[in-house]
Structure formats: C-alpha cells, structure tokens
Amino acid sequence: MIWFMVAVFFQCRRSEFNSTCDPDSSAYLQTFVVLVGASEYTHFCGAHIRNPRIKIPRFILVTNVGLSTATSSINVFRIDPKTGSISQVDGSPFQLTNRPRYSATNATGTIVYVVNIGNTSISILNLNPETGTLSLKHPDLVLPNTPYSLALDPNGKYLFASSESQKQIHRMAIDSSGNLSSLTPVTVTLNPITGAVGRMVFDSKGKHLYAGLTSAPGDMAGVQAFHLDATNGNLNSINFYPTNVNNLSIAISANDQFVYGANYSSQDVFPFLRDINSGTLAIQTNIPAGVAPGYTITDPWNRFVYVANSGTGQGTISAYSIQAIKGTLTPVSGSPFVSGFSPIGLSIDPSGKYLYSSNTEGGNVSGYTIGEDGSLLPMAGFPVTAGINPFSIEIVSY
C-alpha cells in the first residue's frame, strides 16, 4: 500500500488544475465532486472553482436614511423562501447614526458595506448568517465627498463607491478581514457637461463595470463602461454611451448579454446589447417609463426588467419582457403596477418568484409575486413597516 501511494505521487502529471494533482485517480474525482457539491466557491488542486447554484434567500436589508442621525437605521428582515413573507429579526432595526443609504453584502453573506451620507463614509458591518444581527466590524472609512452607491467586485478584492456630487468613482481594496483601504487616484468619469455618478454594476465575472452618469436637467447623461484591472483595482475606460437626461440607475442581465437603465429626468428606459468579451455596448431603442424612474433591476432568468418609478406620492413599477436575442423591451400587460409611495429600491429573490420594493415616502416595504408573464401581484401581509426614508433594499442569500 505504501509503494502504491508513492507511485501515484510520482506519476502525477501537470494538468490545468495543478501539477500536484492526478486527474486519472479515483480520489481526484471523488474529492472534486464532494468539494463542488458542498460550496459554490472552492479551491481544488490550485484552482479557484465556481459552481453556480440557486442560493436560498434568508435576509432582506433595508437602509433607512432617516431625517437625522437620531432616526437612521438598517432593518433586517428574515425571508420565508417558500411564501416570500418577511419578519424582522431580533434587535432590528439596528441604529446606524451616520444615515445609511445603500448596502452591498459580500458573497458569503457575512460582511455588509454601507454608504453613509451623514459623514461621507463607508461602514463595515458583521452580518450573523444565523440570526441576522448586525454589528460593527471595522471603523468607518471616510471618503472625500458623499458616496451614492456601491459596486462590489464579484471576486471580492475591490469595492467601488460612486460620488453623488463629483464626476468620480472611489476605489477601495478589501483585505482578508474585509477591511477597506482607499486606492488613489479616484477614477474620473466622462459626464459630457454636468453631473456625477449614480448606480454601478459589474458583469458576473468581474471584468467590466458599468456606471450610470447623472446630469442636470436638460443635459445629456449616459453609461460609462470600464475594464477592471484585477491586479491593482484600476478602472480603464472603454467608452461613454449617451442615453438621455439624468441616468440614475443601471442593471445587467444574469447572462451578461444586456445592460439596462433608466433616465430619471427624461423618464425612459434604455437597453444595450453587450459584447461579453470586450464589454462594449450597442444601444437599442429607448422605451417610456413612469414618473422619475430611479431604480432598474433584471430577474435572474433573463426574462424581465423592472423599473421603480419614484415620483412624489403614489408610485408605480414598470415591467418589461426581454427579447432574447437583441435584448429589446416590450411592456408587460398591466404595466405599470401600483406600488407604495415613492419606490426607490428593488430586489428579486434568486428563484425569480418574488420582488420587493423599498418605498421612501411610505416608510415601508412592498412585496409581489412575479407571474409567468412578468406581471406583479401584491402579496398578502404587505406592505411591511420599515424605518424613516428607506432607500436601498438588498436580499442576502446562502
């Protein structure tokens, strides 16, 4: 037996995994199957392997900007994945005095990064995956100007924050403990005239970042595409693509083929066809949205696009079906659908069955069942009370 083990060791041939692993051995296949079946991300024979699977939603995070530092907080709700119903976890809402506006959680669902408008910072929080409890993990990282939203590199190395007042994207490196350090210089964006940066989104591989560029009323806005240099976190511009007036939001389809967004002032939705290798975009025909469209999201099966129309008072959610080849949009029958007051954030569970909206003026969360045709049916038990001026809403799954 000893001779056999030594023989196998010396017979290992270099493979695409590692020179110390032998793909012809039974132990190799058995170990590979066990590791891949146990986790979405694993290291095996020197390779970083991702086995995509449908995660199970567990929590919803809602950032409440509040009226002051005394009234700002984060709600954590537990999701019933079978029914879509939600209930607050023990201790929620968790007070965060620097007025949180936007959250982004890491792939393991254990660290939450939060944009604060009260002290122009990023908070770094622990999320307990069993209880949903939030606690401070590291001191806040203060930025030179107020951040608007976040984009987390899918490979977990970098975090990016858009500026709500400058033509800038702040770059941060993430260490092994989840702590942040600022990278310089900031990335300067190509807004044609006035404006700053709205929401941002990565493709699934973390190769390209797309940023919605805002503008003053009457000025052209658009989308800027970047290539991420994984060695240093630099964002290298690919191109700027005009869309219309004041683009606040942006989304990418799960298959990485299409990029969508909404122009807040010109009140329309734009579709792009994306080259998955180069990251370049080709504009399709814009389509009307509702009043003040402020957030765009795609479902996980590349079927539908939803846009939160966040105008003052009674809000709506526009729904569109996606043409599978070119990504063009067609309104879903019955769209737009009535929502809460001023919906500003949307989130869809990984199964594509449920959609949730955070309603700023309503101070609550709405929940919907997504029909086979993309229609939205309000769920019983909603709306659910959140905090004062809720903004972003994020589903955390495991």
Side-chain angles (χ1 to χ4, degrees):
M1 176 63 69
I2 294 176
W3 175 86
F4 175 76
M5 293 176 64
V6 173
V8 169
F9 176 82
F10 282 105
Q11 288 176 7
C12 284
R13 298 182 179 90
R14 179 173 294 276
S15 71
E16 63 182 68
F17 287 104
N18 194 292
S19 60
T20 62
C21 293
D22 182 3
D24 295 326
S25 71
S26 60
Y28 174 95
L29 179 60
Q30 292 168 2
T31 305
F32 178 78
V33 169
V34 168
L35 288 176
V36 171
S39 175
E40 181 180 6
Y41 296 91
T42 189
H43 287 273
F44 179 59
C45 292
H48 181 71
I49 301 169
R50 179 171 184 258
N51 177 38
R53 60 181 176 85
I54 298 177
K55 291 185 173 183
I56 306 300
R58 189 173 300 173
F59 303 118
I60 285 182
L61 309 184
V62 178
T63 57
N64 302 299
V65 178
L67 299 174
S68 66
T69 57
T71 58
S72 60
S73 64
I74 297 180
N75 292 103
V76 181
F77 299 94
R78 185 178 293 274
I79 306 175
D80 183 331
K82 294 182 179 179
T83 66
S85 62
I86 65 174
S87 58
Q88 293 211 62
V89 304
D90 290 343
S92 177
F94 299 92
Q95 188 173 20
L96 207 62
T97 58
N98 291 320
R99 307 190 68 191
R101 176 159 62 187
Y102 196 93
S103 71
T105 303
N106 70 344
T108 59
T110 55
I111 301 176
V112 183
Y113 300 98
V114 181
V115 160
N116 301 304
I117 66 172
N119 67 344
T120 69
S121 71
I122 308 293
S123 288
I124 307 158
L125 308 178
N126 276 312
L127 174 61
N128 186 306
E130 300 302 322
T131 67
T133 300
L134 289 176
S135 59
L136 185 66
K137 184 175 181 66
H138 295 291
D140 289 358
L141 176 68
V142 178
L143 300 177
N145 48 63
T146 304
Y148 183 78
S149 71
L150 296 171
L152 184 60
D153 160 29
N155 297 304
K157 295 177 62 178
Y158 304 105
L159 181 71
F160 300 87
S162 62
S163 170
E164 76 164 6
S165 60
Q166 306 292 322
K167 303 177 182 181
Q168 294 178 353
I169 298 174
H170 302 284
R171 304 181 299 120
M172 291 153 280
I174 303 173
D175 69 16
S176 58
S177 72
N179 203 9
L180 300 174
S181 58
S182 291
L183 300 174
T184 55
V186 297
T187 299
V188 177
T189 56
L190 298 177
N191 307 58
I193 305 175
T194 58
V197 186
R199 291 188 172 89
M200 305 173 293
V201 65
F202 268 104
D203 70 316
S204 63
K205 295 182 179 179
K207 290 175 56 179
H208 302 118
L209 175 74
Y210 298 90
L213 304 188
T214 67
S215 67
D219 291 342
M220 181 60 67
V223 173
Q224 188 167 356
F226 298 91
H227 176 267
L228 172 63
D229 187 333
T231 62
N232 54 25
N234 284 341
L235 292 175
N236 302 310
S237 181
I238 297 172
N239 206 347
F240 167 78
Y241 303 91
T243 56
N244 215 322
V245 184
N246 199 18
N247 170 24
L248 276 181
S249 67
I250 195 162
I252 190 168
S253 60
N255 60 8
D256 289 335
Q257 293 182 356
F258 313 118
V259 171
Y260 300 98
N263 298 303
Y264 188 84
S265 297
S266 55
Q267 300 182 165
D268 52 359
V269 180
F270 54 83
F272 284 101
L273 182 62
R274 175 176 178 267
D275 186 307
I276 61 175
N277 295 312
S278 67
T280 56
L281 302 176
I283 187 68
Q284 309 296 307
T285 303
N286 285 24
I287 190 169
V291 177
Y295 197 92
T296 307
I297 194 171
T298 61
D299 86 311
W301 305 109
N302 313 297
R303 302 171 303 170
F304 309 115
V305 171
Y306 296 93
V307 176
N309 302 305
S310 57
T312 302
Q314 181 65 63
T316 60
I317 299 174
S318 296
Y320 308 89
S321 61
I322 299 173
Q323 199 278 334
I325 304 300
K326 293 187 176 181
T328 53
L329 299 176
T330 303
V332 166
S333 177
S335 176
F337 299 92
V338 174
S339 70
F341 282 10
S342 297
I344 193 61
L346 299 176
S347 195
I348 298 176
D349 81 304
S351 73
K353 292 170 58 178
Y354 307 114
L355 180 145
Y356 304 89
S357 72
S358 52
N359 307 310
T360 297
E361 285 188 21
N364 53 33
V365 173
S366 296
Y368 306 86
T369 299
I370 300 176
E372 290 296 322
D373 61 352
S375 58
L376 298 179
L377 178 66
M379 286 193 286
F382 287 87
V384 173
T385 300
I388 298 175
N389 291 335
F391 199 84
S392 72
I393 182 166
E394 178 189 11
I395 292 178
V396 182
S397 303
Y398 299 85

